[in-house]
Amino acid sequence: MGAVLGVCSLASWIPCLCSGASCLLCRCCPNSKNSTVTRLIYAFLLLLSTIVACIMLAPGMEMQLKKVPGFCDKVVHCEELVGYRAVYRVSFAMAVFFFLFSLIMIQVKSSKDPRASVHNGFWFFKIAAIVGIMVGAFYIPEGPFTTALFAIGTCGAFCFILIQLVLLVDFAHSWNESWVERMEEGNSKCWYAALLACTGLFYTLSFIAVVLFYVFYTKPDACTENKFFISFNMLVCIAVSITSVLPKVQEHQPRSGLLQSSIITLYTMYLTWSAMSNEPERICNPSLLNIISQIAAPTSIPANVTAVVPVVPTPGPQKLQWWDAQSVVGLTVFVLCLLYSSIRSSNNSQVNKLTLSTSDSVILDDTTGTGSDVEDGEIRRVPDNEKDGVQYSYAFFHFMLFLASLYIMMTLTNWYSPDAEFKTLTSKWPAVWVKISSSWVCLLLYLWTLVAPLVLPNRDFN
């Protein structure tokens, strides 16, 4: 609890970096109405809560969490479950906060709406509300709370994985457009080589991933599901890549290309690996330490040396640990997508369409409200670029952060679910199918972006 209050209290001073305007009870809170700065602050709050959740899983924290009154009542192995339960409650607080704001901000049209000032300001009270919900969540009785939150978190994390796909596709399109424009401006060979190198790198990494999957996540007489997952996703990725460069597709969708397909292929391989890493059968789901030991083991053993047969993990309860490769990669992808969605500001952006933007650009006008308009000693304010209309849907932005909170909760707990008596944490098949189905939906959505202009020629997909 001390970690929650200590880290979260620091958040009230971070917004001081954005503005020096005074407000009630906190003389360093910003009242920024600029769309980009506001989104960055909300993103920072979510990242800060993620750090708090990670602290809950740190070694030694279980002894402190056990001191919370009622937190370990009627729990047999509390020291193993307490970190899991703490992460759920921290993420629950953030999810409740963002979900309530998504409801409050429905149909906000401009910064003239009184609710817009709540969205763009009052940071002290919002941080206090988050801390209050977070502290109160630790006193929620176990009962059906964790089971219900696990089901909600699974659905929310699935939706956020799809949002990540949209952000990745938009990033790939922007990357491709930027380099193609530079190719046309001059030194085309250099930029073409760079584009080709990045595309080749992503496909190479995807190919290496497939090989490693077959080596470590399949067995000759077992792991049938893994063999299907790997083979099916590999074939679909090849089909999608070929589709992206077909003449008909290029004619109707000039923005398509192998760079985007290579990024989607690599992301699909990540989702495939993430799904297989949640399989209950340990023989088909080796730990990273086991994989490294197999790679480091000598291939040939001298005759006078006794061979040591590695111990194969047996099925059973798995201890909660988030410092594994799957969680680290998942958190990295999450952070990059969150920051990208917060600072993205270009014309025809898929992110603008995703957030229901009413404007094509959210780039700051550096000449508005700054410079000569600010006298010496006067506080410089971030300009308001939403007087005539909001640059993005406030409600959907908060709903996206609500889904992101659930995604963080599931990622840090490795999608483990408690048994009926809350004695152990186990990885179950529903988590596997949620992740692998999300990879199929991602491929289907990307394929639709390629063929939609052909199927619906009368609609504008720019």
Side-chain angles (χ1 to χ4, degrees), residues 1-19:
M1 294 301 297
V4 176
L5 295 174
V7 176
C8 289
S9 63
L10 294 177
S12 62
W13 294 97
I14 299 300
C16 299
L17 299 175
C18 304
S19 175

Side-chain angles (χ1 to χ4, degrees), residues 11 20 29 53 108-109 113 192 231 234 287 340 361 367 372 396 416:
C29 287
V108 175
K109 299 298 184 180
D113 191 311
Y192 180 80
S231 302
M234 178 185 65
S287 64
Y340 180 74
S361 177
T367 61
S372 59
F396 188 83
Y416 287 178

Side-chain angles (χ1 to χ4, degrees), residues 195-208 262 266:
L195 193 64
L196 186 62
C198 291
T199 303
L201 174 63
F202 293 143
Y203 275 123
T204 302
L205 293 175
S206 301
F207 176 76
I208 294 175
S262 66
L266 187 60

Side-chain angles (χ1 to χ4, degrees), residues 265-313:
T265 299
L266 187 60
Y267 184 62
T268 301
M269 292 301 107
Y270 157 70
L271 291 178
T272 306
W273 168 57
S274 182
M276 294 187 298
S277 298
N278 274 103
E279 284 200 14
E281 290 81 4
R282 299 300 293 169
I283 191 174
C284 301
N285 176 19
S287 64
L288 182 61
L289 183 61
N290 191 20
I291 293 176
I292 294 176
S293 63
Q294 292 183 46
I295 296 176
T299 56
S300 60
I301 303 175
N304 60 343
V305 178
T306 302
V308 179
V309 180
V311 178
V312 179

Side-chain angles (χ1 to χ4, degrees), residues 351-362 390-393:
V351 177
N352 287 344
K353 297 176 183 178
L354 174 67
T355 57
L356 309 179
S357 172
T358 57
S359 176
D360 288 336
S361 177
V362 295
V390 296
Q391 300 294 319
Y392 59 97
S393 170

